[in-house]
Amino acid sequence: MTTTAAPTPATPSRSRRVIAISLAIIAALVAAFFVFANLYADFLWYDQLGFDSVLLTQWIARVVMFVVGFLGMAVPVWLAIQLAYRLRPVYARLSSQLDRYQEVVEPLRRLAMWGIPIFFGFFAGFAASAQWETTWLWFNGVTTTVTDPEFGLDTGFYLFAMPFYSALVGFLSAVLLVCLLVTALVAYLYGSVRIGQRELRISKAARIQLAVIAGLYLLVQGASLWLDRYKTLVEPGDRITGPGYTGVNAIIPGQTILAIAAVFVALLFFVTAVIGRWRFPLIGTALLVVSAIVLGIGYPWVVNTFQVQPNRFALEQPYYQRNVDMTHEAYGIAGLDKQDFQAVTDAEAGQLREDAATTAQVRIMDPAIISPNVRQLEQFRGYYQFADPLDVDRYDIDGVSQDTVVSVRELDLDELGAAADWQNTAVVYTHGYGLVVAKGNDRTGDGDPVFLERGIPASGFLSEEEDFQPRVYFGEYSPTYSIVGAPEGTDPVELDYPVGGDSGGETKTTFEGDGGPSLGSVFNRLIYALKFQAEQILFSDYVNEDSQILYDRDPSARVQKVAPYLTLDSDPYPSVVDGRVVWIIDGYTLSANYPYSSTVSLASAISDSSNPAPRFALDDINYIRNSVKATVDAYDGSVKLYAWDEEDPLLEAWQNVYPSTVLPISEMSGELMSHVRYPTDLFKVQRTVLGVYHVDDANSFYQSDNRWQTPNDPQADTQLQPPYYLTMQMPGQDSPTYSMFTSFIPSSTTGNARNVLMGYLAVDSNAGSEAGERREDYGKLRMLVIDADTTVPGPGQVQNTFNSDQQVSSQINLLKQGQSEVQNGNLLTLPVGGGLLYVQPVFVQSSGATKLPKLQKVLVAFGDDIAFEDTLNEALDTLFGGDSGASAGDDDVEPTPGPTPTPEPTDPGGEPTVPSDEYQAALEDAQEAMIERDAALQAGDLTAFAEADERLTAAVEKLIELGTQGE
């Protein structure tokens, strides 16, 4: 019998190994270059803006924290493994099962002894790197001069130190637990710990190591329990944030006792390491667990059940007062000026005479509605677009402050269609052009906005300024990137703006600013070709030695990158400052660690009908400051940060982290100062807090009998009504000023509250116009507390009155004739004439594809009286006895006659003037015919539909005839 030996496996050729290794090296180099390209592109972007120190600080901090975290975990774990292995018993008798384990583990022992620490070290390094901001804030923290009412510590401890100590304790706990785990595992594998025959045997070396690690762990837990005492001041409870009577007299003392007990048990473990008796530390640990249950759960329950609940207000009053005072401080509402307001509800002639300056600036152009109108009138080409909704601002024109509606004309490359190739999107269509500005308080005879600045090329009061720059390279809708710039004398290729009609020509331009990183070198072109996955950047002839690449062009995105510690307002707005279009953005510093301050959901607070709920990294907050005003130049993208609240401790700390990145307020020009305003999101947060905390004393807070809420928007009933900016004079003010307003109705958990006004809140939003000096009253909160004996209808109730009034509904139905739709504008509430005046513009637009809303009517209400006229001025006169005593901004408007007449006005005393019988009959015929026509259409009865439509036409013609005759 013969056998054939198995063939020897072929050894891989040397060439194959070389090729494999080479390919692996090449792949690693390519991956590394991609990472480098991304990092280098970021550096070029920051360096061009002058904020390279921000990026370098982040890189250095992350690397340092990674190294600290890696070493902080890897070194102790490595030492634990080494000690457990080297101090193993040499001649220990092992079980057969452990023998098999050792046979498996031994070949990998060295790898494991290094690999396990490295493995845990990487996880710890990345976790520590994510905490770099917490660490840097602690290191650069400042004092606040405000102390907490329980421990007497500076609030800076809670803002800066406590988060760091919490992270440090958590990290040390994780390190010690891992060390304890690997020590026990190695000791068991190599016989230092033996379990068998109902007996646990631990070698002396293992005993010392395990006991010391356990003792250290308990010391850390003692520190954690001690820190938990301070954490109670920022933890939400059932009624307030911070400890009440139970917390102060049961929970905090219990945590103190447990912290001391944990240190005592840790000492018992250290003693065990020396004397070798496990009984005492184990008994101490068991007692510690029992004590934690008794002191942490049982005793507080007893105190709350048998002391607090039967005597809640008597015992909790001082802690409620702490919550009220600290909440006022944390949200900047401590200086609220409250005024009792006995609202007048009867309208009389001349009643608005003292409020003439206010009525002259009432905004009737709703920025949320007229965007399609502006687009149709000012777009000029399909590749332009305007924001929706528009923004609001104000300008000083001939010495008079004029409230305006504004928007930037930006690019819309989606409209290029098949022409959207790389050359067009990156080289030709690079910027928008011009700013559209319209009066907020006026209209044309056709119902269109009255423009103060418009057109291509730009014309108006702004473009008349010397060196006005209308081009917008940086905006909310700018292309992803554009390549601009060329040597002097080169023919321009960028489209500047179209000229003439559809077949007209176009002007071209070349960007002359410093707006982006240079593409002058082949290396930089390669970097950005990789970043944007566009080989054209590398090979295109349009890229030259003077080319720049503009990207990250959204104003909010640019500010967020250079100031990552800020939470930005959701409503950046454009203004013209010193001849340049600039975006103005408000930045906030937030915290969830202000003692005894109630927590608010930021997303919920700022969500309303104009702003869907956004997402935030830090949503539940209990401290907010408008610390920074930022500007972004729309032409060159330059970013400037101004320290608006120089006393904010968080901003002070961040300025220490990022030195020389924030300019002092003294650097702000007077013209910029005249355009900054009180930020919208901050005001929304404050009104949310004031719904509960408009009271000053613990008794009112405890009874909760006067809680308010923001009313829902009458046009979007499930969403809150947004606040609004107006130039208006509040009761108690000497003159009108640019302010923001909102109203309050009673709060209800079931949604069944009365829709009547309980309060009216305003904040002075005019910062003045002096360079580097903020106006004294800027940010002053003023609240009118409406007398409970006077019923003032709320926005929902007023809207219902408008909709249900027979005179108004008849005219609305007539406005809807043909292919028309009616849109109700913003419902504004104004404290004038000793009461509350409601104003709502009414727009009419086609229901077809082309939307062109035109202001046709204005609704006004005062008390129970309403009026519905072509202009606000006419409506006010009608409402207030034929002469309101004041003029609105549209007093000189002569509306273009429409197909529908205006019915007889409402009497100022609230009794409607009875129209002629013939006129009233025609109105009723029109309304009845419309109802029958709609019913026939729904039923599919075309014959009945035609008959009803014929009667409707006859009724409308009759109304026109009577209106012409002055009936």
Side-chain angles (χ1 to χ4, degrees):
M1 182 175 179
T2 60
T3 58
T4 303
T8 303
T11 302
S13 66
R14 183 175 181 180
S15 60
R16 290 184 179 180
R17 289 199 302 269
V18 171
I19 291 174
I21 294 174
S22 300
L23 290 176
I25 293 174
I26 292 172
L29 290 175
V30 169
F33 185 76
F34 271 97
V35 173
F36 166 78
N38 189 57
L39 295 176
Y40 184 62
D42 284 344
F43 176 79
L44 291 175
W45 188 91
Y46 278 92
D47 184 57
Q48 183 276 324
L49 267 181
F51 286 88
D52 53 301
S53 62
V54 172
L55 185 63
L56 293 176
T57 298
Q58 295 179 35
W59 284 355
I60 293 171
R62 289 182 183 275
V63 170
V64 169
M65 288 302 295
F66 179 85
V67 172
V68 170
F70 180 86
L71 296 177
M73 174 67 78
V75 171
V77 172
W78 182 84
L79 284 174
I81 294 174
Q82 290 291 328
L83 287 173
Y85 176 74
R86 293 181 182 276
L87 299 176
R88 70 192 186 284
V90 179
Y91 301 107
R93 180 178 295 178
L94 304 179
S95 65
S96 59
Q97 187 175 11
L98 282 178
D99 282 334
R100 289 194 297 270
Y101 286 160
Q102 285 193 12
E103 290 177 1
V104 174
V105 171
E106 190 61 27
L108 303 173
R109 177 177 55 80
R110 291 191 177 182
L111 177 62
M113 292 177 71
W114 288 95
I116 291 174
I118 292 174
F119 173 79
F120 284 107
F122 269 107
F123 276 100
F126 287 121
S129 178
Q131 294 291 328
W132 78 268
E133 291 181 327
T134 301
T135 305
W136 258 242
L137 271 183
W138 165 73
F139 187 76
N140 293 280
V142 298
T143 57
T144 66
T145 70
V146 178
T147 57
D148 80 81
E150 177 59 27
F151 299 105
L153 295 175
D154 187 273
T155 52
F157 168 81
Y158 298 91
L159 295 175
F160 307 116
M162 191 174 70
F164 171 75
Y165 293 149
S166 297
L168 179 61
V169 166
F171 180 81
L172 293 177
S173 297
V175 171
L176 291 169
L177 279 176
V178 173
C179 288
L180 193 63
L181 176 64
V182 297
T183 298
L185 180 61
V186 173
Y188 177 72
L189 283 175
Y190 288 95
S192 297
V193 175
R194 286 176 287 175
I195 303 174
Q197 298 177 354
R198 299 182 181 180
E199 186 179 14
L200 173 64
R201 293 185 180 182
I202 304 176
S203 68
K204 181 179 179 181
R207 181 195 73 215
I208 294 173
Q209 186 171 348
L210 290 171
V212 169
I213 295 175
L216 291 173
Y217 179 78
L218 280 170
L219 280 179
V220 172
Q221 298 316 300
S224 178
L225 287 167
W226 190 263
L227 188 63
D228 286 343
R229 301 160 64 249
Y230 304 110
K231 288 184 179 180
T232 58
L233 270 65
V234 299
E235 292 175 350
D238 57 344
R239 293 288 299 273
I240 63 173
T241 294
Y245 182 87
T246 301
V248 169
N249 294 280
I251 295 176
I252 292 177
Q255 290 170 334
T256 304
I257 294 172
L258 289 173
I260 296 172
V263 173
F264 179 74
V265 175
L267 294 176
L268 291 178
F269 274 101
F270 295 146
V271 171
T272 295
V274 177
I275 67 174
R277 294 181 178 273
W278 289 95
R279 179 179 302 175
F280 297 115
L282 293 178
I283 292 173
T285 302
L287 290 176
L288 184 61
V289 173
V290 173
S291 300
I293 296 173
V294 173
L295 296 175
I297 300 176
Y299 182 57
W301 179 84
V302 171
V303 171
N304 183 64
T305 302
F306 297 103
Q307 285 187 265
V308 176
Q309 291 187 10
N311 310 283
R312 181 175 292 276
F313 181 66
L315 297 178
E316 298 278 28
Q317 180 180 6
Y319 309 106
Y320 288 167
Q321 191 63 52
R322 291 179 179 182
N323 177 244
V324 171
D325 294 341
M326 297 300 281
T327 299
H328 284 180
E329 181 67 27
Y331 290 99
I333 57 178
L336 175 67
D337 181 13
K338 290 194 297 184
Q339 177 182 347
D340 292 332
F341 188 65
Q342 294 183 337
V344 176
T345 57
D346 296 327
E348 299 178 357
Q351 196 162 336
L352 301 184
R353 187 163 287 110
E354 295 183 0
D355 298 294
T358 290
T359 59
Q361 286 286 7
V362 176
R363 191 181 68 241
I364 55 177
M365 281 294 159
D366 187 348
I369 287 183
I370 65 170
S371 180
N373 190 305
V374 173
R375 184 169 61 248
Q376 290 294 327
L377 296 174
E378 292 295 318
Q379 185 171 349
F380 293 104
R381 292 290 189 272
Y383 49 78
Y384 287 128
Q385 63 177 320
F386 293 93
D388 188 10
L390 308 180
D391 291 297
V392 295
D393 197 7
R394 78 276 190 196
Y395 286 91
D396 189 80
I397 301 176
D398 297 329
V400 178
S401 179
Q402 173 67 57
D403 289 3
T404 59
V405 179
V406 302
S407 187
V408 169
R409 185 184 291 105
E410 295 200 54
L411 289 175
D412 184 4
L413 297 186
D414 292 339
E415 293 295 327
L416 291 180
D421 58 11
W422 181 86
Q423 179 177 324
N424 276 336
T425 58
V427 178
V428 177
Y429 294 90
T430 59
H431 61 278
Y433 188 92
L435 185 77
V436 171
V437 181
K439 288 185 177 181
N441 62 338
D442 203 357
R443 50 164 286 190
T444 67
D446 293 331
D448 292 327
V450 176
F451 291 104
L452 300 171
E453 177 77 20
R454 65 183 303 182
I456 292 182
S459 63
F461 77 106
L462 293 174
S463 51
E464 292 173 358
E465 297 180 10
E466 187 178 358
D467 298 328
F468 174 64
Q469 178 55 262
R471 295 167 185 85
V472 180
Y473 283 87
F474 294 84
E476 294 178 296
Y477 305 102
S478 295
T480 303
Y481 69 90
S482 294
I483 297 174
V484 298
E488 187 176 352
T490 305
D491 292 336
V493 296
E494 299 176 51
L495 172 67
D496 199 16
Y497 56 82
V499 179
D502 292 339
S503 59
E506 58 188 23
T507 62
K508 298 205 172 175
T509 188
T510 298
F511 179 76
E512 296 178 351
D514 181 15
S518 171
L519 292 179
S521 68
V522 175
F523 183 73
N524 281 9
R525 297 181 199 177
L526 175 60
I527 292 294
Y528 283 103
L530 292 174
K531 178 178 178 62
F532 292 108
Q533 300 294 295
E535 69 280 0
Q536 297 92 337
I537 296 176
L538 191 59
F539 301 113
S540 175
D541 292 338
Y542 290 103
V543 183
N544 53 70
E545 63 272 15
D546 288 340
S547 291
Q548 304 171 42
I549 184 166
L550 314 181
Y551 64 100
D552 285 341
R553 301 161 73 176
D554 181 87
S556 295
R558 293 179 77 80
V559 174
Q560 192 68 81
K561 289 185 69 172
V562 302
Y565 53 90
L566 294 177
T567 297
L568 302 183
D569 193 90
S570 57
D571 186 24
Y573 60 99
S575 290
V576 174
V577 177
D578 301 321
R580 310 277 286 202
V581 178
V582 298
W583 296 90
I584 302 176
I585 306 165
D586 288 284
Y588 308 110
T589 44
L590 311 174
S591 179
N593 294 309
Y594 202 84
Y596 269 111
S597 174
S598 285
T599 300
V600 167
S601 168
L602 182 59
S604 298
I606 70 174
S607 174
D608 55 33
S609 61
S610 65
N611 182 36
R615 293 183 179 180
F616 296 98
L618 178 61
D619 185 44
D620 292 328
I621 64 169
N622 66 1
Y623 174 91
I624 183 172
R625 288 290 185 272
N626 177 209
S627 54
V628 170
K629 299 283 187 183
T631 64
V632 178
D633 191 294
Y635 183 73
D636 63 19
S638 57
V639 178
K640 292 183 179 180
L641 308 174
Y642 299 95
W644 188 250
D645 188 345
E646 295 176 309
E647 297 181 358
D648 174 36
L650 285 173
L651 178 61
E652 289 183 54
W654 281 117
Q655 285 182 291
N656 293 334
V657 175
Y658 298 115
S660 304
T661 57
V662 180
L663 301 172
I665 192 174
S666 58
E667 296 290 324
M668 296 182 71
S669 70
E671 192 164 352
L672 174 58
M673 192 71 74
S674 70
H675 286 282
V676 300
R677 66 191 188 193
Y678 200 80
T680 307
D681 287 350
L682 175 60
F683 188 67
K684 291 178 182 180
V685 171
Q686 289 175 327
R687 75 174 180 180
T688 299
V689 174
L690 284 170
V692 176
Y693 289 92
H694 61 275
V695 299
D696 298 317
D697 60 279
N699 185 45
S700 299
F701 173 80
Y702 170 73
Q703 292 178 354
S704 297
D705 58 349
N706 194 24
R707 293 197 172 197
W708 302 342
Q709 68 184 36
T710 305
N712 286 340
D713 191 335
Q715 312 307 321
D717 195 47
T718 60
Q719 297 174 308
L720 298 181
Q721 185 178 38
Y724 41 89
Y725 293 96
L726 291 173
T727 296
M728 194 167 69
Q729 181 175 344
M730 282 281 286
Q733 283 185 295
D734 297 331
S735 60
T737 187
Y738 191 69
S739 304
M740 186 162 40
F741 305 91
T742 192
S743 57
F744 294 100
I745 62 174
S747 178
S748 172
T749 56
T750 61
N752 296 322
R754 298 173 62 208
N755 199 285
V756 296
L757 282 190
M758 301 298 295
Y760 188 81
L761 180 66
V763 64
D764 193 324
S765 301
N766 182 11
S769 57
E770 294 188 24
E773 292 189 19
R774 186 168 47 203
R775 185 168 154 271
E776 183 179 357
D777 282 345
Y778 170 86
K780 180 70 175 178
L781 289 163
R782 296 180 173 87
M783 175 180 285
L784 303 180
V785 181
I786 298 172
D787 187 84
D789 295 333
T790 304
T791 300
V792 178
Q797 195 176 129
V798 169
Q799 188 67 65
N800 182 70
T801 300
F802 286 160
N803 295 340
S804 61
D805 183 84
Q806 184 176 359
Q807 294 282 336
V808 173
S809 60
S810 297
Q811 295 182 73
I812 293 293
N813 286 334
L814 292 175
L815 290 173
K816 292 180 180 178
Q817 290 301 299
Q819 298 295 317
S820 297
E821 295 178 350
V822 172
Q823 286 186 290
N824 292 325
N826 42 213
L827 182 59
L828 306 177
T829 311
L830 299 88
V832 295
L836 279 303
L837 172 70
Y838 285 94
V839 176
Q840 183 176 59
V842 177
F843 297 82
V844 178
Q845 70 177 17
S846 169
S847 60
T850 301
K851 307 291 186 182
L852 195 64
K854 293 179 178 290
L855 179 59
Q856 294 294 314
K857 297 282 185 179
V858 180
L859 281 161
V860 292
F862 192 89
D864 294 327
D865 302 326
I866 66 172
F868 190 38
E869 299 295 339
D870 291 337
T871 66
L872 175 58
N873 198 68
E874 292 175 357
L876 293 178
D877 285 341
T878 300
L879 186 64
F880 291 96
D883 181 12
S884 67
S887 297
D890 61 352
D891 59 334
D892 59 350
V893 174
E894 295 184 6
T896 301
T900 57
T902 302
E904 296 295 327
T906 302
D907 184 80
E911 297 295 330
T913 303
V914 179
S916 66
D917 293 340
E918 192 174 6
Y919 188 89
Q920 183 64 38
L923 276 177
E924 293 176 357
D925 289 344
Q927 186 173 12
E928 181 180 356
M930 179 176 293
I931 294 173
E932 292 180 0
R933 188 188 69 163
D934 292 342
L937 182 61
Q938 293 179 1
D941 189 345
L942 297 181
T943 303
F945 174 84
E947 293 176 354
D949 187 65
E950 185 177 351
R951 286 190 284 113
L952 176 61
T953 302
V956 170
E957 291 175 351
K958 184 66 175 178
L959 286 170
I960 294 174
E961 179 184 351
L962 294 174
T964 304
Q965 295 173 0
E967 294 294 326

